[in-house]
Amino acid sequence: MINTLYSLDTLGTPMAFFLALLIGIGFGFALERAGFSSSRRLAGVFYFTDMAVVKVMFSALITAMLGLSYLTAFGWIHMDKIFFMPTIYGAQIVGGLLFGVGFAMGGWCPGTAAAGLAAGRIDALVFLVGTIGGSILFNELFPIIGGLYRAGDQGVQLVYDTLGMSRNAFILVFTCVAVTAFWLAEWAEKTRMGRSAYLGSPFLKAFSLALVAVALGLFVLSPASTAVTRAPTGLATAPSADEKILMAKVQEGRDHIMPEELADRLMAGESDLMLVDVRPPAEFNTYRIRGAVNVPLTQLAETLQPRKNKGVIVLYSNGMTHPAQARDSLQRQGFVNVYLLTDGLQGFRDICLKPVSLRPEPMSAAAVARINAWRTFFTADDVSTLVGLATPLASGPKPHVVETDWLAGRLDAPGLKIIDLRPQPEYNSAHIPGSLSLNVESLRGNVGGVPSMLLPATMLAAQFSLLGLNPSDTIVLVSGDKLHDSTLAGMAFERLGHLNFAVLNGGYAKWIHEGRPADSALPAVAASKYPASQDADRFTVDFGTVVTALGKPGTVIIDVRPTDFYVGQKSDEARAGHIPGAQNRPFTEDVVTSSNKVVALKPRDALSAAYALMIPSKDTEIIVHCRTGHQASQTYFVLKHLLGYSNVRWYDAGWTEWAARRELPVVNVAQVGGR
Amino acid sequence: MNNTIHIPPDGPKPYANPYLAGILLGLVLLASFVILGAGLGASGGIARMGASVSMCVSAPHTLGSEYFGKWGAKPLNYYLVFMFVGTFIGALFSALLANRMRIQVERGAAASVKRRLGYALMGGLLAGFASRLAQGCTSGQALSGGALLLSGSIVFMLCLFVSGYATAWFVRRQWYD
């Protein structure tokens, strides 16, 4: 079995470029041999003076079609190793009609013009300049004609399926049509020009017979393709070779996963299984299968890109229609590892979660135990797994998230400084004993014309000195209802190279809700001399770095603003929309707010799963940004300190600056009328 | 046009038997399917050149555009660009071998150079635009997609010939002798 470069996902490598060059040489050679380096000869097809286009093109098409069918029948190559273009009727009908006008006018098509240029044709050069211009024009008009580009998208459609024929029957008919076309072409030349090289010649008779015989041979060699089937060539479901072992777990050749199997595999904690809930966020937040991540349909392809053909992706919704459509769309984009949960969420509930007592059928003890295990696992409250984020602050790396319990036992610890980031009136009325008040906005100011920038190290050090802090202190940051106040203060400490800080999970609300001590006394502070380390900040980047990253495939840009700002529906800035290629994950997705106003980070494994979808590996270059840097500090914190991504950068100036700099590119999904 | 090429007395060799040339082309296409896992393409490479030109004019604008933007800052790093260069090289090889290299504006003897080049430019513009819309040209859609029996490719091919024949009469003067 041959693995193509496409199936190995190596079409972008230098090796592929070299092989493509060689194949191109063969292509150009064949075109020139055929006389396709002459516009007069090419255009002749439209005046019946020279029918070479019909003869060459159909000979080539039939040769490749029959060749591929034979290779498949011999089992040397599988159709799923080949890229199949989607059928998009609107675009291809209008495109075909326009193209025909261009072909007849210009006397060239793009490939033959390259051959014509090689044979010295200046009209070919002019035609090529035109095609480059036409491509640029298309790009410029794309916002207007994007709808047409996708009009009538059918996915991968094979013509014999469309016509309801078997593959072999269609191939035979198609071959006969081509042979007829050859004879008609010769006849047309004879009628129009008075001469025909091959009409009735022994060569054409033998050639015609040979083609039909080869097409008939398929009925013997590949009887399976004689049956009328739906898309047997499935770009569909067959996994590529290196995924085989993994995929073998999934029912072979099926695109569904049964609820029982999904449940078992989720409980086993398979790390390469990604469960995606495609329902609206509101429904997801109300109820979901444990371990699922929520991805809106519109962002599916973009978000799942890092998991393309890696592991198994399972889609589910309430029913089957949306996931099936999403799966089809993903397949068209080359995903072969997308599966559907049979009967969706309802099926999962009925089969896995329905209490044994409510089931009419008799059950074995083993079946009962299995169902009870599922119920225990999948009905466990998500929030109950919140605890355990922090480990005791002993030796080893210090945790960056601490729980109230941890802090309560260390209130008097030497070198531990608690910083309360809530508004001053709240601090004044009551705070954790000994805590220092700090207004997070005092850490920011106008830097170089951009408002709300984290202040330079010297100014931060001056403030820390007034607070009496020292580089050796362990800092605990306490916020009110904004966890990102703590993480922004954390950025200030990081800028000074002070990494020994932690965020109190749940903030002051959790502390007081648990009935822990509080007072209103102001602590005694002796000013210190906090040194201004200048070179500790290697994580803040400016717009230039972001622009450079735009062209670098590996970099993941995460826009943490609310989705309506990301898409451009809402805006407080000069321009609406987002940075090209940026993915959206609102910072609010990383926290849960409970009924008593306690804002805490989501469970680590939920965050880990969600970001694993967006970011290929732990050392991927990541840039996070929001509007002013405040919200993005929280995502930065989650990625870097909680999940251990090593290469996270913070674009502090964020959308405030990007939107105002008109030379920077912006994508506005809301404006171009959706995807 | 002045002909600056030295023409040997024996002149250019005749073109190959079109059916055999077609079989050769079909085998190249088959090799492309088997090795690359994708068919032949020409307009894809040209469009990448278009994106590259656009990058030179304004990189932020190009990167921010919805269509070219997704090709990144180096649109030429793409296998079809190399295939296009190969097509030129292969054709050059064949043309030299057969002594068919002639620097000229190919047209009818009675047609002006201006008319012919005007049509070529306009035709190129339309073909370039249309091949982006249809996601391929005669090579990528009609030939490669046709050999894979894709419905859209075959519809593209039918439409191409229908409108080609409909247009031919209007642009016939460029070929008048």
Side-chain angles (χ1 to χ4, degrees), chain A residues 32 38 40 47 97 123 186, chain B residues 19 37 94 106 116 163 168 177:
Chain A
E32 212 288 330
S38 161
R40 224 180 159 155
Y47 303 96
L97 291 173
D123 44 320
E186 296 294 343
Chain B
Y19 301 104
S94 167
E106 201 176 355
R116 171 70 190 116
S163 75
D177 283 315

Side-chain angles (χ1 to χ4, degrees), chain A residues 2 4-6 11 17 19-21 23-30 32-35 38-41 43 45-48 51 55-57 59-61 63-65 67-68 71 77 81-85 87-89 91-106 108-111 114-115 117-123 126-128 130-136 138-142 145 148-149 157-160 162 170-171 174 182 186 198 203-204 207 551 580 663 665-666 672, chain B residues 1 15-30 32-37 40 42-43 46-47 49-50 53 60-61 63-68 73 77-79 82-95 97-98 100-108 116-117 119-135 137-143 145-157 159-161 163-165 167-168 171-172 174-175 177:
Chain A
I2 298 167
T4 63
L5 298 184
Y6 163 75
L11 266 180
F17 295 166
L19 290 169
L21 184 83
I23 289 167
I25 288 175
F27 183 31
F29 186 84
E32 212 288 330
R33 287 285 111 177
S38 161
S39 48
R40 224 180 159 155
R41 185 170 168 91
V45 70
F46 296 121
Y47 303 96
F48 302 103
M51 301 304 283
K55 302 178 206 172
V56 175
M57 194 159 157
S59 297
L61 196 158
T63 301
M65 172 186 79
L68 207 51
L71 291 183
I77 187 164
K81 309 275 184 198
I82 297 170
F83 173 65
F84 281 44
M85 282 167 296
T87 287
I88 307 167
Y89 283 122
Q92 280 149 358
I93 289 171
V94 176
L97 291 173
L98 281 177
F99 191 92
V101 175
F103 192 2
M105 264 184 108
W108 298 107
C109 63
L117 181 64
R121 301 311 200 268
I122 291 163
D123 44 320
V126 171
F127 180 88
L128 285 174
T131 51
I132 292 178
S135 305
I136 295 173
F138 179 80
N139 179 55
E140 295 303 320
L141 294 180
F142 194 78
I145 54 169
L148 181 58
Y149 182 68
Q157 270 286 327
L158 293 158
V159 67
Y160 48 89
T162 308
F170 181 80
I171 285 179
F174 202 23
F182 296 153
E186 296 294 343
Y198 301 98
F203 170 81
L204 191 56
F207 182 60
E663 74 275 21
V666 165
V672 299
Chain B
M1 248 312 115
Y15 296 124
N17 174 329
Y19 301 104
L20 296 182
I23 291 175
L24 176 66
L25 181 57
L27 292 176
V28 173
L29 174 57
L30 189 59
S32 186
F33 282 138
V34 171
I35 297 169
L36 300 179
L40 300 171
S43 62
I46 293 174
M49 295 178 200
V53 170
H61 172 76
L63 289 169
S65 60
E66 204 181 338
Y67 190 73
F68 281 170
N77 274 352
Y78 191 61
Y79 76 103
F82 289 81
M83 191 181 283
F84 187 81
V85 173
T87 308
F88 174 82
I89 296 171
L92 184 61
F93 183 63
S94 167
L97 208 63
R100 283 195 283 262
M101 168 79 170
R102 300 282 183 282
I103 294 188
Q104 58 170 302
V105 175
E106 201 176 355
R107 66 190 196 280
R116 171 70 190 116
L117 292 187
Y119 281 157
L121 184 68
M122 196 55 214
L125 206 67
L126 281 168
F129 183 89
S131 56
R132 284 310 85 212
L133 180 60
Q135 302 190 25
C137 60
T138 15
S139 318
Q141 277 294 358
L143 182 58
L148 293 174
L149 304 177
L150 302 176
S151 304
S153 304
I154 289 175
V155 165
F156 174 85
M157 181 158 52
C159 291
L160 178 168
F161 278 109
S163 75
Y165 279 105
T167 309
V171 295
R172 67 194 184 283
Q174 57 182 333
W175 307 115
D177 283 315

